Amino acid sequence: MVALSASQVNRAGKVLRDWYSDAGRPVMGPAERAALDVLVEFRGTHATPLLKANNGLRSMLRTEGCPVEVSQRLKRMSTIIDKLTREPTMALSRMQDIGGCRAIVNTLDQLRRVERRLAKNRPPERVDDYVAHPRSSGYRAVHLIIQYDGRRIEVQLRTMVMHEWAVAVERLGGQLGQDLKSGRGPLPVLDWLEAISEALAIEEQGGIVDGMLIARLAQLRLGASPYLSGGSR
């Protein structure tokens, strides 16, 4: 099989972006079907690099004496296409998270030790430190983009506290039909979730949540309650 070129992949991405962005959504023709075939093949080329990233991450966790809780996934076709349409300037060949693996550790110290070992063994192309600088939604983790066999793999590092917050938010987002973790959804809910994350971060770093934040959490919970009970404003 002839290897796909970046230009082939990017052309396919543009064809699919244009077709899925068309409000009229015409019947899919030969060009669109060929572009889908390229996307399927390109996605598949991430499988082996992802396995190598997963195995390497497991090895690093064992070396650092951390619990080995690692998962991996190839981004779903529908999610790739959704990202293409949401980010119209992004070239498909440069999409950084088609393959991803995640490690969940117990403490911040463990997270930072694994991060340092990863960076030493395979210097990342990019690091997004959402622990030092959380997303507006309150999402916390460290994301590293690392190349394996010429493919970009996203490695996520979370503590158990960060992971439990993210899982709860994803579950709530599913109920509301909103991507809350990415900051999309009702503002009262987003503000409440961000405040919860702030409190969790304080406790995780050994601090004590003060009365002002506790009061703010209670007030924000009241504001979010109509959405949480299935209603709307």
Side-chain angles (χ1 to χ4, degrees):
M1 182 182 294
V2 179
L4 292 170
S5 67
S7 59
Q8 279 180 287
V9 172
N10 291 335
R11 282 197 300 271
K14 182 179 186 307
V15 168
L16 292 172
R17 176 186 288 121
D18 291 345
W19 191 82
Y20 280 95
S21 299
D22 189 332
R25 192 68 58 82
V27 175
M28 183 172 278
E32 290 77 25
R33 288 194 292 271
L36 269 179
D37 288 342
V38 170
L39 175 54
V40 169
E41 184 179 345
F42 180 60
R43 177 180 179 271
T45 63
H46 290 75
T48 298
L50 176 57
L51 180 60
K52 291 182 179 181
N54 183 297
N55 290 339
L57 186 54
R58 287 176 179 275
S59 175
M60 291 177 203
L61 287 166
R62 283 191 291 267
T63 300
E64 290 296 333
C66 301
V68 181
E69 185 170 347
V70 178
S71 60
Q72 68 177 56
R73 63 99 184 99
L74 281 175
K75 190 182 284 293
R76 293 192 298 269
M77 290 282 291
S78 59
T79 310
I80 295 172
I81 292 168
D82 177 65
K83 188 167 185 177
L84 280 173
T85 56
R86 283 190 289 106
E87 302 184 25
T89 62
M90 184 184 61
L92 177 57
S93 69
R94 300 287 299 177
M95 191 176 288
Q96 298 178 334
D97 58 349
I98 291 176
C101 56
R102 174 189 300 143
I104 301 169
V105 297
N106 289 331
T107 66
L108 279 170
D109 176 67
Q110 289 178 347
L111 185 153
R112 293 304 189 189
R113 288 191 347 241
V114 174
E115 179 189 2
R116 287 193 294 270
R117 185 167 290 275
L118 269 169
K120 180 180 179 181
N121 289 7
R122 282 186 177 267
E125 285 189 6
R126 173 175 170 177
V127 178
D128 290 312
D129 190 343
Y130 299 120
V131 176
H133 306 286
R135 288 178 178 169
S136 60
S137 64
Y139 176 77
R140 295 186 302 134
V142 174
H143 292 190
L144 304 96
I145 306 300
I146 301 175
Q147 283 219 19
Y148 289 82
D149 295 346
R151 291 288 178 254
R152 295 176 180 85
I153 302 296
E154 181 184 68
V155 178
Q156 296 183 5
L157 304 177
R158 297 176 181 173
T159 65
M160 183 57 71
V161 170
M162 297 171 192
H163 183 64
E164 289 177 349
W165 179 94
V167 169
V169 170
E170 287 172 359
R171 188 177 298 120
L172 178 58
Q175 295 170 5
L176 299 180
Q178 301 280 356
D179 187 1
L180 299 173
K181 196 172 69 177
S182 296
R184 292 191 290 276
L187 186 58
V189 175
L190 294 173
D191 287 345
W192 176 58
L193 294 173
E194 189 278 332
I196 292 174
S197 178
E198 181 182 345
L200 291 173
I202 290 170
E203 291 182 341
E204 193 168 34
Q205 294 170 31
I208 298 175
V209 178
D210 63 29
M212 290 182 62
L213 180 51
I214 292 172
R216 183 156 64 91
L217 279 165
Q219 186 64 35
L220 290 171
R221 176 65 175 78
L222 285 175
S225 61
Y227 302 94
L228 305 179
S229 61
S232 61
R233 280 187 175 176

